Amino acid sequence: MGGSAHAALGTADREHERPASARPAPAGRPLAAVAVAFTLAQLLLVRPGMGLGWDETVYVSQVSRHAPAAFFSAPRARGVSLLVAPVAAWSSSTALLRTYLAVLSGLALFLALRAWRGLFPVRVLALAGGLFASLWVTLFYGPQAMPNLWVAVAALTAVACFLRLGADRADRAGRADRAALWGLAGSALLMAWMRPVDAVWASLPLLAVGLRRGHRRALLVLTAGLAAGAVQWVAEAYTRYGGLARRLADGAAIQGGLDWHLAFADQLRGLGGRTLCRPCAGALPHPLLTFWWFALPPLAVLAVVLAVRARRPAATALPLACAATAAFPYLFLLDYAAPRFLLPAYALLAVPVADALTRLAAARRPVPRPVLAVLVCAGLAVYLLVQAAMVLRVAGTTTAARRSWARTAAELHRHGVRPPCLVTGHEAIPVGFAAGCASAATTGPNANTTVAGILRTARRIPVATLVPAGAAPPGHTRGWSSAPSGAVRLYYAVPGARP
């Protein structure tokens, strides 16, 4: 690994030593253009006005003044809440929060790609950024208060910085070395800050290479970053969840238990536009929507072959290995799927795949170069059209669904359920946040109260229970007023009001 990365970095150094008049245009411009396009595409295709989702509500409510904090279950980490705090702590504007996250995710992508300069040509990095940024899952979750994209860009940065540190450059105190040290520490911290368990999975190949090859500095910085990012999560495990082992066990139970399960078909169903596939049944999406997914394994293999021939296997093999370990639990251990789960794997695959496509388009034999170039460009054009159509479709259906929560919240207000108040039942967390109410559940992964507790609360403040239309109401709502609201029926009790 050291030799290949060293050679790449040496080339970068020679470029740096050229006279100013002989240097090409700044290499960061194509990467910045990709990042800006990514930000603008989020704002245009997803739209800042899309309401908060269920998980987003949980994260945002921890720092927002709009409503009491929702129940924070064992698998979650506080990274997203801290990320959105600069906006959510003083403003309830969803549009402002989405714009902030879109700009921040574009900046994060630029920094992640920039960390790879010297390891791959800039044209490869720009293509890699374009491939990842144009994926409908990336565009859809870029402006959302969710952790997976941040794990993805942090993992991409971490691998690049690890490779640079492993190069063992002659000038160990050089500026690039110090930048790589800080980059590895910061990206490891960000991964663990967002999702500690995912951070460990994505870092396993880095830890293994560091131990085997004796890259002490890189190993020390990586582990220190992971530990710093996870320390709050571990401390909270002992203060709120009964210990680290208990929190891990509870997190696994909430996710349905971690057991051997081939989830490839589940993930394919998710790529058809299902943001959460649980239970995951039904027909597979049209092959036109998933052809790129099947192209990833052969392109990854081609990337390795080309890298071995070029005698620089480490810069290709290491991100591929990290992509494999990051994807492993979601492809083999969970019995449900969500497209966002694989965002770290897609980010790590992007650079090797872009390198393979670039070299494939430039190949001369056995197929003429113009033919290969046309085939690659045609494939990329179809890919971009499919992703644009998918993100518009998913954003449209999601926006409509979240508007129904706002309408239900308005209906609650009309019937006197106003802050301070409590909402329980079907989709209580997002509806409660939209109404400015606390939320609670007596069963399930978000259970945090009892029926007796709900009845006691109803004597003090307005309480509502949401029941799917046509379903029988729970016993504790006997004697409460009721009213229809879209796909649910409201059962509510307002102290001092006539039932």
Side-chain angles (χ1 to χ4, degrees):
M1 185 178 83
S4 59
H6 178 70
L9 289 171
T11 302
D13 288 342
R14 287 192 296 273
E15 291 291 328
H16 180 72
E17 291 167 1
R18 289 180 182 178
S21 59
R23 290 178 196 165
R29 288 182 181 176
L31 308 184
V34 170
V36 170
F38 176 46
T39 297
L40 294 177
Q42 294 175 56
L43 298 175
L44 291 173
L45 300 178
V46 180
R47 303 291 178 86
M50 184 175 69
L52 295 178
W54 182 299
D55 294 292
E56 287 186 291
T57 296
V58 175
Y59 292 120
V60 173
S61 69
Q62 308 302 310
V63 294
S64 174
R65 298 180 181 179
H66 178 69
F71 179 73
F72 205 77
S73 60
R76 302 187 188 278
R78 302 279 174 178
V80 173
S81 299
L82 294 173
L83 184 74
V84 302
V87 172
W90 59 272
S91 173
S92 60
S93 171
T94 303
L96 179 61
L97 180 62
R98 297 246 181 267
T99 303
Y100 161 74
L101 289 172
V103 172
L104 207 59
S105 60
L107 176 62
L109 180 63
F110 169 74
L111 294 176
L113 294 173
R114 194 174 185 277
W116 285 84
R117 285 175 55 185
L119 299 170
F120 284 92
V122 172
R123 66 178 183 277
V124 170
L125 301 180
L127 177 59
L131 290 174
F132 178 65
S134 59
L135 188 65
W136 77 259
V137 188
T138 311
L139 285 168
F140 183 68
Y141 284 104
Q144 295 198 51
M146 297 291 281
N148 309 86
L149 178 65
W150 299 97
V151 175
V153 293
L156 186 62
T157 307
V159 174
C161 293
F162 187 91
L163 283 166
R164 296 176 74 90
L165 289 173
D168 279 331
R169 296 179 63 190
D171 182 12
R172 287 176 175 266
R175 182 179 302 173
D177 250 8
R178 290 196 297 272
L181 281 169
W182 285 107
L184 181 58
S187 54
L189 184 147
L190 181 60
M191 278 195 293
W193 199 30
M194 292 293 169
R195 289 186 70 89
V197 176
D198 284 11
V200 172
W201 280 106
S203 302
L204 284 177
L206 303 183
L207 295 169
V209 171
L211 287 171
R212 183 175 179 181
R213 301 214 171 186
H215 297 319
R216 295 180 181 177
R217 283 192 312 160
L219 192 59
L220 178 62
V221 170
L222 175 63
T223 53
L226 292 174
V231 64
Q232 186 277 332
W233 194 84
V234 174
E236 190 179 45
Y238 288 96
T239 58
R240 293 189 55 182
Y241 299 96
L244 181 57
R246 178 64 181 272
R247 185 170 194 175
L248 290 170
D250 288 351
I254 288 172
Q255 293 176 314
L258 299 179
D259 200 1
W260 189 257
H261 176 79
L262 296 180
F264 290 90
D266 298 343
Q267 288 292 344
L268 280 175
R269 291 186 180 95
L271 290 177
R274 300 168 66 175
T275 55
L276 180 63
C277 196
R278 186 179 192 180
C280 210
L284 295 175
H286 192 280
L288 191 63
L289 302 178
T290 57
F291 80 94
W292 63 271
W293 207 71
F294 290 101
L296 289 178
L299 285 173
V301 172
L302 177 62
V304 173
V305 171
L306 294 174
V308 170
R309 288 181 179 176
R311 296 183 179 180
R312 47 161 191 76
T316 295
L318 196 56
L320 292 178
C322 291
T325 56
F328 180 83
Y330 297 111
L331 292 177
F332 296 99
L333 299 181
L334 289 185
D335 63 354
Y336 69 99
R340 60 187 172 88
F341 291 163
L342 296 183
L343 275 171
Y346 298 147
L348 290 162
L349 285 166
V351 173
V353 165
D355 186 48
L357 288 173
T358 303
R359 291 176 176 274
L360 190 63
R364 298 183 179 181
R365 293 182 300 177
V367 182
R369 180 186 295 181
V371 175
L372 277 175
V374 168
L375 290 175
V376 170
C377 291
L380 291 175
V382 173
Y383 166 81
L384 293 173
L385 289 173
V386 167
Q387 301 309 312
M390 282 300 303
V391 74
L392 286 171
R393 171 185 160 190
V394 175
T397 56
T398 302
T399 300
R402 295 177 184 179
R403 283 175 180 164
S404 71
W405 295 338
R407 288 193 294 268
T408 301
E411 192 71 12
L412 287 171
H413 288 171
R414 195 172 74 84
H415 290 286
V417 182
R418 300 185 184 93
C421 47
L422 175 69
V423 177
T424 68
H426 182 64
E427 296 181 332
I429 288 179
V431 173
F433 183 81
C437 303
S439 58
T442 57
T443 59
N446 297 306
N448 61 346
T449 191
T450 62
V451 171
I454 292 173
L455 293 175
R456 283 195 303 270
T457 304
R459 298 190 191 106
R460 298 183 293 104
I461 61 174
V463 174
T465 296
L466 313 180
V467 180
H476 71 266
T477 63
R478 188 179 296 113
W480 290 11
S481 302
S482 71
S485 179
V488 298
R489 190 168 189 86
L490 315 178
Y491 292 83
Y492 57 95
V494 179
R498 295 180 58 186

